[in-house]
Structures are given as structure tokens and as C-alpha cells.
Amino acid sequence: MQEELKALPGWRLTAGGNALVRTRKFSQPGAAAQFAADVADLAVGQRQPAILGVTAHQVTLTLQRPSRNGIDMALINFARQLD
């Protein structure tokens, strides 16, 4: 699993190691909002957990299983799609 995590540039593990986090910055506020909407649609369509924090020029993504039982390959594959 560690090798898969190393292959996710820009993502980091939370202190407890049970979630992936990434912040993406945008030059236009509308781009941040559109990215967040796209991620939300993708997450719902694939039944993946995604917590989105949106400000004017950035989106912070947190991917974590609802049971907080760690990161699996499905979650890692979902994170790859968000690059």
C-alpha cells in the first residue's frame, strides 16, 4: 500500500494514517467551485467518500472511509482520478 501512496503526488496522509488529503489552488474562484462540483459528482457516481472544503481559490479534499478503518485500493484509485 505504501508504494501506491507514494505514486499520488500532492496527496498526504493524515496524522492517524486513515485519510488522504490534498489542497488544490486555482487562479479563478469559479474554477475552484467547478472542480469541487465535478469531484462531488464523481464521488457520488462511484460511491466514494469525499469531504470538500471550498474557498474562493482553493479546494481541500479529504478522502476517508465512513468507518474510519483506513485506506483501501478503491480509495487510492479514486484519488488518482482527481489529478
Side-chain angles (χ1 to χ4, degrees):
M1 187 74 64
Q2 289 298 332
E3 291 301 314
E4 289 86 0
L5 293 173
K6 289 179 185 177
L8 292 173
W11 290 92
R12 63 180 172 81
L13 282 172
T14 57
N18 63 351
L20 295 171
V21 177
R22 180 177 186 184
T23 298
R24 297 222 17 211
K25 295 183 180 186
F26 299 86
S27 59
Q28 299 294 319
Q34 184 60 56
F35 176 74
D38 291 345
V39 169
D41 286 344
L42 192 61
V44 168
Q46 294 186 23
R47 297 182 180 185
Q48 293 294 329
I51 300 167
L52 304 167
V54 183
T55 61
H57 294 277
Q58 73 180 26
V59 177
T60 300
L61 306 164
T62 303
L63 306 181
Q64 180 179 36
R65 294 275 165 236
S67 63
R68 302 180 189 271
N69 64 351
I71 297 166
D72 61 12
M73 284 307 299
L75 198 66
I76 289 172
N77 290 333
F78 180 64
R80 283 188 183 124
Q81 294 176 51
L82 303 178
D83 283 333

